[in-house]
């Protein structure tokens, strides 16, 4: 069964386990875990927003944030190198007595190693994460509910697509955030793309362009159950046609029946990929002028919009704007800061 309901964190049972250490590390969604991205530190401090009286990791910047509830923080120190994962830093920490499980919002290979070394039960492995977030696998299941696409078989095939004058994008199968999305018309002379393609030529596909508005839904699913709850709906704020910058989170009642029916069909088609999955996930989609829905991708993990959406649900407001990388000088008195990017002096904020 697929339903829509504005859930709050207290409604989600896997967030209530007193034997779990809850962790959040976004590094594995970047195009390469070898990139040095200081903004990754801000994501380490998100989970206390969803928890109450639980064990959770955060770095020292959490002290700047006014969370709604108190938790037992296992502080992981920030290092000079932003590539270092939460789980490598956790190796230096003694865990509280009673912890026998590790919950990862987003898998990481170092989380798998940490859980094995500490004999902790892990909710989501990195191997499963790679399988479930393969965009080509998703598109094969979605069929006509995703834009027309084709896997790129070789450099020669890519050149044929370029010469065809089709409008669309070359995308990486495990890309995220728009950083490996390239307009087909620009790739020939794009050094960044050509360097990436040379290294991973079999990891790309071409997707035809669809004109319309970009949206997302936030969902939760429990293990070995077909039931899925859509708990959030938003219009995405996209920069340069591909970079996620935030979203306008709106009431679930504004999700039109015609769109909801198409989403239910899409989620049903994706079930073979996520049958054993438990956790949060998001679906990004475009709606064209005729009301036809096209799923762009499923992010089978906690997304940047998950926590803002749940916080908006707690407040019970009709709508709110979630902005990533907001300038501190632009803040208003009623804005809720949910994360600090201290490296660039920016904040993630929910605005009325």
């Amino acid at each position: 069964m697929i339903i829509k309901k504005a859930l709050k964190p207290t409604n989600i049972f896997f967030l209530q386990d007193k034997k779990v250490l809850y962790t959040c590390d976004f590094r594995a969604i970047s195009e390469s875990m070898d990139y040095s991205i200081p903004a990754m530190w801000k994501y380490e401090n998100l989970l206390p927003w969803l928890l109450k009286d639980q064990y959770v990791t955060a770095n020292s910047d959490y002290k700047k944030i006014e969370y709604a509830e108190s938790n037992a923080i296992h502080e992981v120190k920030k290092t000079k190198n932003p590539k270092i994962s939460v789980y490598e830093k956790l190796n230096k920490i003694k865990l509280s007595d009673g912890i026998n499980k590790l919950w990862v919002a987003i898998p990481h290979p170092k989380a798998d190693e940490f859980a094995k070394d500490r004999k902790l039960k892990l909710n989501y492995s990195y191997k499963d994460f790679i399988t479930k977030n393969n965009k080509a696998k998703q598109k094969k299941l979605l069929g006509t509910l995703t834009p027309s696409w084709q896997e790129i078989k070789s450099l020669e095939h890519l050149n044929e697509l370029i010469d065809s004058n089709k409008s669309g994008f070359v995308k990486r199968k495990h890309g995220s955030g728009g950083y490996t999305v390239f307009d087909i018309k620009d790739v020939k002379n794009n050094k960044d793309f050509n360097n990436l393609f040379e290294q991973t030529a079999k990891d790309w596909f071409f997707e035809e362009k669809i004109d319309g508005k970009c949206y997302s839904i936030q969902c939760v699913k429990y293990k070995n159950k077909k039931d899925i709850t859509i708990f959030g709906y938003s219009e995405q704020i996209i920069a340069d046609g591909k970079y996620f910058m935030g979203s306008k989170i709106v009431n679930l009642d504004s999700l039109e029946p015609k769109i909801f029916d198409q989403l239910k069909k899409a989620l049903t088609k994706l079930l073979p990929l996520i049958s054993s999955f438990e956790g949060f996930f998001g679906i990004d989609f475009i709606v064209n002028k005729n009301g036809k829905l096209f799923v762009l991708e499923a992010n089978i993990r906690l997304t940047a919009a998950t926590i803002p959406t749940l916080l908006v649900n707690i407040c019970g407001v009709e709508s709110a704007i979630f902005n990533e990388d907001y300038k501190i000088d632009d803040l208003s008195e009623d804005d809720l800061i949910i994360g600090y990017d201290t490296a660039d002096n920016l904040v993630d904020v929910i605005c009325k």
Side-chain angles (χ1 to χ4, degrees):
M1 182 183 296
I2 296 165
I3 64 170
K4 52 180 182 175
K5 183 178 180 181
L7 297 176
K8 300 175 182 179
T10 51
N11 302 134
I12 300 167
F13 80 82
F14 56 72
L15 296 179
Q16 319 304 324
D17 195 331
K18 298 296 184 184
K19 296 182 178 180
V20 167
L21 177 62
Y22 292 93
T23 66
C24 187
D25 189 322
F26 267 65
R27 289 174 178 84
I29 73 163
S30 65
E31 308 312 334
S32 170
M33 282 182 276
D34 291 329
Y35 290 168
S36 182
I37 308 174
M40 288 296 168
W41 284 318
K42 71 177 179 180
Y43 296 112
E44 296 179 359
N45 298 325
L46 287 177
L47 280 185
W49 281 112
L50 300 188
L51 304 169
K52 180 180 180 181
D53 298 329
Q54 303 290 352
Y55 299 117
V56 60
T57 58
N59 65 49
S60 57
D61 291 339
Y62 85 90
K63 296 167 187 174
K64 297 169 63 71
I65 301 171
E66 296 182 16
Y67 298 109
E69 304 290 352
S70 297
N71 289 280
I73 304 291
H74 283 57
E75 186 175 329
V76 291
K77 291 185 178 180
K78 291 168 64 176
T79 62
K80 292 182 179 180
N81 183 355
K83 293 188 291 186
I84 304 300
S85 73
V86 164
Y87 310 101
E88 291 166 275
K89 291 177 280 193
L90 264 177
N91 275 321
K92 301 176 182 179
I93 295 176
K94 183 182 184 302
L95 303 187
S96 296
D97 293 339
I99 293 174
N100 60 18
K101 303 171 189 173
L102 180 69
W103 191 90
V104 295
I106 298 162
H108 191 288
K110 294 296 183 181
D112 291 21
E113 293 177 17
F114 180 81
K116 183 178 179 181
D117 291 344
R118 297 290 184 103
K119 295 181 173 56
L120 303 175
K121 185 177 180 181
L122 182 66
N123 67 309
Y124 192 10
S125 74
Y126 185 69
K127 181 180 177 181
D128 283 346
F129 172 72
I130 291 298
T131 299
K132 289 174 173 50
N133 286 279
N134 184 313
K135 312 309 181 189
K137 284 181 180 290
Q138 295 173 5
K139 287 178 174 294
K140 288 174 182 176
L141 291 171
L142 287 164
T144 58
L145 290 172
T146 194
S148 295
W149 69 287
Q150 53 185 295
E151 294 184 80
I152 297 173
K153 300 173 183 176
S154 63
L155 179 59
E156 290 75 20
H157 185 205
L158 174 61
N159 287 328
E160 289 174 9
L161 288 167
I162 294 170
D163 294 339
S164 71
N165 290 319
K166 289 183 177 180
S167 294
F169 302 94
V170 179
K171 297 184 174 184
R172 196 171 173 180
K173 293 177 184 177
H174 290 97
S176 179
Y179 292 96
T180 51
V181 176
F182 298 88
D183 192 308
I184 187 72
K185 293 180 172 63
D186 300 332
V187 297
K188 207 160 196 174
N189 299 311
N190 188 308
K191 290 183 179 179
D192 290 337
F193 169 76
N194 285 292
N195 287 336
L196 284 167
F197 188 81
E198 186 177 341
Q199 297 169 30
T200 57
K202 294 182 179 180
D203 198 30
W204 297 81
F205 63 92
F206 170 71
E207 178 185 88
E208 292 188 17
K209 183 179 180 181
I210 299 292
D211 291 319
K213 287 189 175 182
C214 296
Y215 299 90
S216 72
I217 53 170
Q218 302 303 311
C219 308
V220 69
K221 181 184 175 298
Y222 296 116
K223 196 168 187 176
N224 298 321
K225 292 185 178 181
K226 293 183 179 180
D227 294 356
I228 293 172
T229 300
I230 300 171
F231 64 83
Y233 173 47
S234 59
E235 183 176 345
Q236 294 189 329
I237 302 169
I238 305 294
D240 299 329
K242 60 180 182 178
Y243 298 114
F244 177 81
M245 299 295 292
S247 55
K248 180 181 179 181
I249 302 167
V250 296
N251 193 295
L252 271 174
D253 290 338
S254 63
L255 186 56
E256 298 174 11
K258 182 180 178 180
I259 302 301
F260 183 46
D261 287 343
Q262 293 177 80
L263 284 169
K264 287 194 288 186
K265 290 177 183 177
L267 288 166
T268 300
K269 286 181 177 291
L270 288 171
L271 275 175
L273 191 63
I274 60 173
S275 59
S276 62
F277 173 74
E278 177 175 88
F280 298 111
F281 68 97
I283 303 286
D284 296 339
F285 60 96
I286 285 181
V287 178
N288 70 12
K289 62 182 181 180
N290 298 318
K292 164 75 172 162
L293 178 148
F294 296 89
V295 175
L296 299 176
E297 63 180 13
N299 292 303
I300 315 300
R301 55 173 173 82
L302 182 139
T303 75
T306 303
I307 290 172
T309 299
L310 288 166
L311 292 177
V312 170
N313 288 351
I314 289 172
C315 296
V317 296
E318 285 296 308
S319 66
I321 303 293
F322 165 57
N323 286 304
E324 282 200 317
D325 302 329
Y326 203 69
K327 292 180 180 178
I328 292 177
D329 291 343
D330 293 338
L331 288 169
S332 299
E333 185 177 347
D334 293 333
D335 294 342
L336 177 65
I337 298 171
I338 64 171
Y340 282 87
D341 178 354
T342 53
D344 293 316
N345 200 32
L346 299 169
V347 292
D348 288 359
V349 62
I350 299 174
C351 309
K352 289 185 178 179

